[in-house]
Amino acid sequence: MESVLVLTHADETGSALTKASLEAVTAAKELAASLSASLTIGIVAVDPTTATAALASTQARLIAVSGEPFAQPRYATDAAACEALCRAAQATIVLAPASSRFARVAAGVAHRMGGSIDTHITALAVADCVQATRWFYRQRIEAVITRETRPWFLLLDAGTHAAFAAEPAPAQVEQILVTLPAIRTTVIGLRTPQSGAQADGASTQGWETIRPDAQLLLVAGAGWTKKQPDGQIHSAEAGDLILGFLRATGASLGSSKSLVDQGGEGQPVLPFLTHMNQVGQTGSTPRHAKGLSTCCHGEEPHVVGWRFIADRRAISLDPNCGWTRGKADVVYIADAFKVMAKVNALLGAAEK
Ligand SMILES: Cc1cc2nc3c(=O)[nH]c(=O)nc-3n(C[C@H](O)[C@H](O)[C@H](O)COP(=O)(O)OP(=O)(O)OC[C@H]3O[C@@H](n4cnc5c(N)ncnc54)[C@H](O)[C@@H]3O)c2cc1C
C-alpha cells in the first residue's frame, strides 16, 4: 500500500508557499487519489501559518518544520528539515518541487532514508504501479520509469502541473522537531546575474529579462546583429525593438546560441543578453504558453529547447529556415525589424 508525502517550502516572504511547491501539491493530490493512498504535506517555512491555511482544503495531514534556521536555503538545515518530515510521514512516495532549494538536498535526503530518487519528472501516472515520466537527451526521448525501491523520491519540473489554489481556511498542523546539525554556512544575502537592461541599454541592473512565469517567450536570434538589406548592422535599433516589446508585454527573453556567443567574439551584441538567456540543447527548455522567434534560423539544437512551448511562431527572412520545416505553428516570412516596429506601435497604441 503506497502513501504519498509532498515536500513544500516557503518563498522569500518566509510564509507563503512557492508556486513550484503548489504545483507539487497538485501532483501529489492527483497521485494520492489515483492510488487511494494517504496524503501528507510537509512544509518548510519560518512560519507555516499562511501555508497551512492555504492547504486546508486538501484534507491532507499537514506537518511542518519551522523557525528562523529555515528562513534561508542552506544544505544542512534544509536536508535536516526534509529528513525529519520524511521520518514523520513514513511515506513510500515522496514528491518535491525541483526548486534550487530542494534539488540541492533531495538526493541526500533520499540516501538518508535508504530510498531512490529520480529527477526532472514531468508527469505521474498509475497503472499497476506508479509510473513517472521524464525526458532524456535534451527533451528528445521521453521515458516512463518505475521503481520497486521505497521510499521513491520524485523531483517535479516546474510548470508541469497547475498550482494548487483554494480559499484559505483554518487547519491543524503538526510541528515536527528537528535536531539541527552543526551549521557552518551563514547566508549573508542573494546575488542574481545582471541579465536586465533599460531601454537605452545604459544600465543592466534591476530589470530582469528572464521571466519563467511569463505567458510569452520572445526569442532573439543572430539575425538581429547581421547586416541588413541596406548593408548596415542595426544593433542599437534591434535592442530598442526587443526591449520595447518586452516592456509592453512582460514577455521573457530567450536567445539563440549564435547571438549570445557573439559577445565573446568581439562582434556587436545586445548588451542585455547573457548565456542565461540561451534556449536549446546547451541552453534552457522553458515552459511558456506561447513563443515568438525572431531573426533565428530554427535549427534543431535550438528548437529542441522549445519542446514545451505550446504555440510557436517565428519571423524569419529565410523561407527555407528550420521553422518552416514543421517546427513552428505559424511562420511569417518577413523582416523582423519592420514587423516588431509595427507590433510595438500597435502595443503602444493599445496602452493609451
Ligand atoms: C552541440 C551543439 C549544441 C548547440 N546548442 C544550441 C543551443 O542550445 N541553442 C541554440 O540556439 N543553438 C545551439 N546550437 C547552434 C545551432 O545549431 C545554431 O547554430 C544556432 O541556433 C543558430 O542561431 P541563429 O538561428 O540565431 O543564427 P543564424 O543561423 O545565423 O540565423 C539567423 C537568421 O536570422 C534571419 N534574419 C536575418 N535578418 C533578419 C530580419 N531582418 N528579419 C528576419 N529574419 C532575419 C536569417 O535569415 C537567418 O535565418 C548548438 C550547436 C551544436 C553543434
Side-chain angles (χ1 to χ4, degrees):
M1 183 71 187
E2 303 280 19
S3 52
V4 179
L5 165 68
V6 55
L7 297 170
T8 65
H9 64 83
D11 61 17
E12 55 283 352
T13 64
S15 53
L17 292 181
T18 61
K19 182 164 176 277
S21 292
L22 292 167
E23 290 175 12
V25 168
T26 302
K29 262 174 62 74
E30 289 171 5
L31 180 65
S34 305
L35 290 164
S36 302
S38 64
L39 173 62
T40 305
I41 303 179
I43 303 163
V44 180
V46 180
D47 176 0
T49 317
T50 308
T52 304
L55 297 171
S57 69
T58 60
Q59 308 285 323
R61 178 186 172 202
L62 303 179
I63 56 178
V65 167
S66 57
E68 211 43 48
F70 308 101
Q72 299 285 356
R74 176 173 35 214
Y75 189 93
T77 42
D78 283 342
C82 291
E83 182 185 354
L85 291 169
C86 289
R87 295 205 185 283
Q90 288 297 316
T92 57
I93 306 281
V94 182
L95 306 184
S99 58
S100 58
R101 190 164 182 175
F102 276 176
R104 184 163 56 169
V105 299
V109 177
H111 179 72
R112 291 182 194 183
M113 298 300 294
S116 289
I117 182 163
D118 285 283
T119 58
H120 290 293
I121 302 303
T122 54
L124 297 164
V126 178
D128 50 346
C129 59
V130 177
Q131 300 176 336
T133 301
R134 66 157 292 174
W135 295 79
F136 286 99
Y137 188 43
R138 299 306 287 187
Q139 340 312 334
R140 287 187 175 93
I141 300 170
E142 191 180 28
V144 177
I145 307 164
T146 63
R147 279 191 195 273
E148 287 178 4
T149 312
R150 298 291 185 268
W152 187 17
F153 285 67
L154 295 160
L155 272 188
L156 302 171
D157 268 0
T160 53
H161 294 82
F164 175 78
E167 282 299 310
Q172 291 293 321
V173 62
E174 298 166 45
Q175 290 290 342
I176 306 298
L177 293 179
V178 181
T179 312
L180 283 178
I183 297 174
R184 293 179 302 176
T185 307
T186 308
V187 181
I188 56 170
L190 282 178
R191 271 188 212 167
T192 51
Q194 296 180 358
S195 58
Q198 291 177 356
D200 57 5
S203 164
T204 55
Q205 279 189 321
W207 201 73
E208 291 301 319
T209 59
I210 301 170
R211 301 164 176 163
D213 291 334
Q215 279 285 100
L216 176 65
L217 171 73
L218 176 75
V219 158
W224 282 110
T225 57
K226 294 255 166 79
K227 274 189 186 162
Q228 293 302 307
D230 63 0
Q232 303 296 314
I233 290 170
H234 298 277
S235 314
E237 188 188 339
D240 287 348
L241 287 170
I242 293 166
L243 293 177
F245 181 79
L246 296 185
R247 202 173 305 103
T249 58
S252 187
L253 180 63
S255 174
S256 70
K257 185 174 189 312
S258 292
L259 184 54
V260 288
D261 279 355
Q262 285 176 12
E265 291 164 14
Q267 294 179 32
V269 280
L270 303 175
F272 45 87
L273 279 172
T274 74
H275 281 93
M276 299 288 285
N277 294 90
Q278 184 182 319
V279 171
Q281 178 174 334
T282 42
S284 64
T285 311
R287 291 167 193 273
H288 300 276
K290 295 182 177 186
L292 176 63
S293 157
T294 52
C295 293
C296 166
H297 195 71
E299 284 178 28
E300 175 61 15
H302 174 73
V303 179
V304 73
W306 283 62
R307 173 70 77 186
F308 303 119
I309 308 288
D311 181 343
R312 308 162 173 206
R313 298 190 179 203
I315 308 169
S316 174
L317 279 178
D318 185 354
N320 283 318
C321 71
W323 298 111
T324 62
R325 296 167 186 257
K327 290 181 171 158
D329 301 296
V330 179
V331 185
Y332 306 96
I333 305 301
D335 183 336
F337 280 85
K338 291 185 181 152
V339 175
M340 295 311 285
K342 181 77 181 165
V343 168
N344 284 353
L346 290 170
L347 286 167
E351 266 175 21
K352 285 174 190 157

